[in-house]
Amino acid sequence: MASGLRIAGLASGIDTESIIKDLMNAQRIPLQKLQQERQILEWKQENYREINTSLRTFRDVAFNMKLQGTYIAKNTHSSNEDAVAAECSSSTPTGSYTVKVNNLATGVSKGSKTELADEKNEDGTTKTLAEQFGVSGDEDGKINFTLEGAKGQSDFSFDKDTDSIYDVVIAINDADLGIRASYDATLNRFFLNTESTGSAQKIVVTNDENNFLSYGESQSVGDSILKLDIQEGSADYKGVDASFDFGDVTGLTSSTNTVTVNGITLELKEGGGATGTITVSNDTEAVFDAVIDFIDKYNSLMETISNKLYEKSYKDYTPLTDEQREKLTDDQIDTWTDKARSGLLRYDSMLSELYNKFRTTMSSVVNDVSGGYMENGKLVKNDRLSKLGITTTKDYMSAKLEINDSVKDQLRKAIQNDPQGIIDLFTKSSDAEDASDSELGIAQRLYNNVNYGINRLMEKAGSESDFALVDESVIGEEIGDIDDDIETMEDRLQQVEDRYWRQFTAMEQAIQQLNSQSAWLAQQFGMNG
């Protein structure tokens, strides 16, 4: 920070500020070079971190490809979707299974057989039980009954003069008996339904002295206040289990219409002996799509790395200084900066190592691949991608892999005829700590390669999730060192500038003193003359 008295050309008439500014511009050249070096390091750090982000994204793809579950996807088909639908897991054995649905699982549903009285008064208020149904209740004006469902039973009591049909609905539902109550105000009907299906589901009404929900043994539906077809004390209102045959296994039952048998989840839709054939087969297209997507993502990753490795460099374009920016338009600054950033990782040794490592992995042989199939009297072993027709493009430097229509046909054939060989080609692993790359499947090996690359890039430039530029990475520490040098140099330049100002100020003061002496002498000579 500047200090002390500054006199700028008052006595000498010299443009001191311009002179000192020019002197300091020359002094700041080393500082500007440091700032440019720092900017270049920051750009390199950003480039490395962007590539690392691409590696992390691709690692998820490689991880999925090294899992056997990716290659054992299954398809299910039902010959009669109206009768039975099916889904399966990757562990479901392939084959065809006949399913006969004898009857569906049902619950219990009881609703008012005839329309009930309107539950609203003329003024729009809700009627009480007495107002809506004319029910008198017991001697205390209470309506009492006991209701039992699959989850238990509960006693209910309602005041005919204060409670409404909606209070009945809420109380039954809150009791959690496995029974749901509802009232349809549009139809003016009351409903009781079991929450689920199966023989364990039931609706039993007892102690219903007012015949609110039920009717007595010598009565009929019309004697029930809510007109429900429920006889008091009867245990006949139960659900039914589904019954079906699976292959030659007959008489299987389920409390619901969704059941899993032999790894197949069946949805029973139509009873009465409706039959459908469920076919489980290997999902060739799912595996095919996974391989194609894997290759596409690999090509995208290699293009990202290649673009940086072979990006054109413009050595005459260095990071702009503040003074240079002031003389350019925004568009000119952007154009200059793009060229200054271009090619910073050109022929970078670390990226070259990763690039070549990935390319070698994708073209190498996997030892001891099982399976294979006969073609034209010869055994085809799918122990490398080229056996599937997947090879590098003619432009070897690109390291991209080609998949045209003929290759797709070849790939499908391999997946269909040699599923285990395809699994080994991508997922083969080894428990040995010193296992060589040739003992590992391509996806397993590439996953390890990508992890290696991620760690190398983090050591070099840190992680994109790190908001600070200065970290423990190689570039982070280099930026920190330059920041220290910049701070030291800025302090030194401030001292130099202060020295210039002191020197010029001293000169101005001396000139001012000489001018005063000269004026005094002139005055003395004038007086003596």
Side-chain angles (χ1 to χ4, degrees):
M1 181 175 173
S3 60
L5 177 65
R6 291 184 172 184
I7 301 176
L10 293 177
S12 66
I14 297 173
D15 187 355
T16 306
E17 287 191 7
S18 296
I19 293 173
I20 293 178
K21 182 178 180 181
D22 290 340
L23 289 170
M24 291 307 300
N25 284 341
Q27 291 286 342
R28 287 194 176 93
I29 290 176
L31 174 62
Q32 291 172 349
K33 288 184 176 179
L34 280 177
Q35 291 170 334
Q36 288 174 323
E37 288 177 17
R38 187 190 189 282
Q39 181 63 78
I40 289 173
L41 284 174
E42 184 177 332
W43 285 340
K44 281 187 174 182
Q45 186 183 57
E46 290 177 4
N47 289 341
Y48 282 129
R49 289 182 175 184
E50 288 172 3
I51 292 174
N52 211 352
T53 298
S54 296
L55 287 177
R56 289 177 182 275
T57 300
F58 180 74
R59 180 173 61 178
D60 294 337
V61 179
F63 178 80
N64 290 332
M65 289 300 290
K66 75 187 187 74
L67 300 178
Q68 292 196 11
T70 302
Y71 306 88
I72 53 178
K74 300 290 173 55
N75 266 329
T76 56
H77 172 73
S78 172
S79 64
N80 187 358
E81 288 281 349
D82 292 334
V84 56
E87 293 182 356
C88 67
S89 66
S90 60
S91 61
T92 303
T94 58
S96 293
Y97 311 88
T98 300
V99 177
K100 179 182 178 183
V101 186
N102 301 314
N103 61 265
L104 297 177
T106 62
V108 185
S109 179
K110 294 294 182 179
S112 302
K113 290 293 187 178
T114 58
E115 184 176 357
L116 305 176
D118 194 343
E119 64 17 292
K120 292 290 186 183
N121 291 306
E122 291 184 359
D123 61 2
T125 58
T126 300
K127 292 179 179 179
T128 64
L129 295 174
E131 290 172 334
Q132 184 177 4
F133 302 111
V135 63
S136 59
D138 62 10
E139 60 183 13
D140 296 323
K142 302 290 185 180
I143 298 173
N144 307 303
F145 59 84
T146 300
L147 184 61
E148 182 182 357
K151 297 181 180 179
Q153 71 174 30
S154 181
D155 297 326
F156 297 89
S157 181
F158 301 95
D159 191 310
K160 68 178 181 65
D161 294 319
T162 57
D163 290 326
S164 71
I165 191 65
Y166 295 110
D167 293 312
V168 176
V169 169
I170 292 171
I172 291 175
N173 291 339
D174 287 347
D176 191 25
L177 303 177
I179 299 173
R180 302 300 297 176
S182 62
Y183 184 79
D184 188 326
T186 302
L187 299 177
N188 283 328
R189 292 177 190 262
F190 183 85
F191 296 92
L192 287 178
N193 298 280
T194 56
E195 292 180 341
S196 188
T197 58
S199 58
Q201 303 302 311
K202 59 184 176 180
I203 296 178
V204 179
V205 179
T206 56
N207 303 320
D208 189 4
E209 297 177 358
N210 302 106
N211 297 130
F212 187 72
L213 295 179
S214 63
Y215 58 87
E217 184 175 351
S218 60
Q219 297 175 314
S220 64
V221 175
D223 294 311
S224 166
I225 297 297
L226 296 183
K227 306 297 188 262
L228 297 175
D229 187 12
I230 301 176
Q231 186 177 26
E232 182 181 358
S234 174
D236 294 337
Y237 310 110
K238 292 184 176 182
V240 176
D241 286 337
S243 173
F244 63 99
D245 303 337
F246 187 87
D248 63 353
V249 181
T250 61
L252 296 174
T253 61
S254 169
S255 62
T256 68
N257 292 311
T258 300
V259 59
T260 300
V261 182
N262 199 29
I264 305 174
T265 299
L266 303 173
E267 182 183 354
L268 309 179
K269 295 182 176 181
E270 181 183 344
T275 302
T277 299
I278 306 301
T279 303
V280 180
S281 59
N282 291 321
D283 192 348
T284 301
E285 283 303 305
V287 179
F288 173 83
D289 291 341
V291 174
I292 294 296
D293 182 65
F294 174 64
I295 298 301
D296 286 344
K297 295 294 192 337
Y298 166 81
N299 283 340
S300 178
L301 173 66
M302 296 303 278
E303 183 177 16
T304 297
I305 299 175
S306 176
N307 287 342
K308 291 302 180 184
L309 267 178
Y310 305 117
E311 189 175 41
K312 186 175 181 180
S313 177
Y314 300 89
K315 296 190 180 299
D316 293 335
Y317 288 79
T318 56
L320 293 168
T321 64
D322 291 339
E323 289 186 0
Q324 289 172 330
R325 286 177 175 274
E326 291 174 0
K327 298 175 183 179
L328 301 175
T329 65
D330 289 343
D331 289 342
Q332 289 173 329
I333 291 173
D334 291 341
T335 301
W336 184 286
T337 300
D338 287 343
K339 290 188 175 182
R341 293 191 64 157
S342 180
L344 293 180
L345 300 184
R346 185 175 175 83
Y347 301 138
D348 180 84
S349 60
M350 182 169 57
L351 291 188
S352 294
E353 179 196 6
L354 297 179
Y355 191 73
N356 292 328
K357 186 183 287 288
F358 297 162
R359 178 166 54 187
T360 299
T361 289
M362 297 300 276
S363 61
S364 58
V365 175
V366 178
N367 291 338
D368 301 323
V369 168
S370 60
Y373 63 96
M374 299 301 296
E375 186 174 57
N376 298 325
K378 295 182 179 180
L379 178 63
V380 177
K381 295 282 284 186
N382 293 302
D383 57 0
R384 68 188 76 185
L385 285 179
S386 60
K387 290 290 187 68
L388 306 179
I390 303 173
T391 57
T392 56
T393 62
K394 293 180 180 180
D395 179 11
Y396 178 75
M397 295 301 292
S398 74
K400 282 189 174 182
L401 298 173
E402 277 189 317
I403 300 182
N404 53 38
D405 289 339
S406 62
V407 170
K408 290 180 180 179
D409 292 339
Q410 188 173 345
L411 176 59
R412 281 191 175 94
K413 182 196 296 184
I415 294 172
Q416 290 171 345
N417 297 336
D418 187 22
Q420 189 57 49
I422 298 300
I423 292 175
D424 284 357
L425 175 63
F426 286 97
T427 71
K428 194 169 183 292
S429 61
S430 174
D431 294 330
E433 294 182 2
D434 58 347
S436 63
D437 280 351
S438 62
E439 297 177 69
L440 303 177
I442 288 173
Q444 180 70 59
R445 197 183 311 171
L446 196 57
Y447 180 80
N448 295 341
N449 293 162
V450 171
N451 272 331
Y452 169 80
I454 289 172
N455 292 333
R456 286 292 309 278
L457 287 170
M458 286 186 64
E459 291 172 1
K460 182 73 173 179
S463 171
E464 194 172 45
S465 61
D466 296 332
F467 296 104
L469 299 178
V470 179
D471 54 23
E472 296 181 355
S473 67
V474 173
I475 292 181
E477 291 182 350
E478 289 177 352
I479 292 176
D481 292 340
I482 289 180
D483 285 343
D484 292 339
D485 292 341
I486 288 175
E487 184 177 359
T488 299
M489 187 168 290
E490 285 177 339
D491 290 341
R492 188 184 68 79
L493 288 173
Q494 187 63 60
Q495 294 172 3
V496 171
E497 185 177 1
D498 288 345
R499 189 181 75 244
Y500 282 149
W501 275 106
R502 286 196 302 270
Q503 290 172 341
F504 275 96
T505 298
M507 182 191 73
E508 292 292 335
Q509 289 174 335
I511 292 174
Q512 187 176 19
Q513 185 176 2
L514 289 173
N515 288 342
S516 297
Q517 291 175 349
S518 176
W520 180 81
L521 289 173
Q523 183 181 16
Q524 293 300 317
F525 284 126
M527 291 176 61
N528 293 331

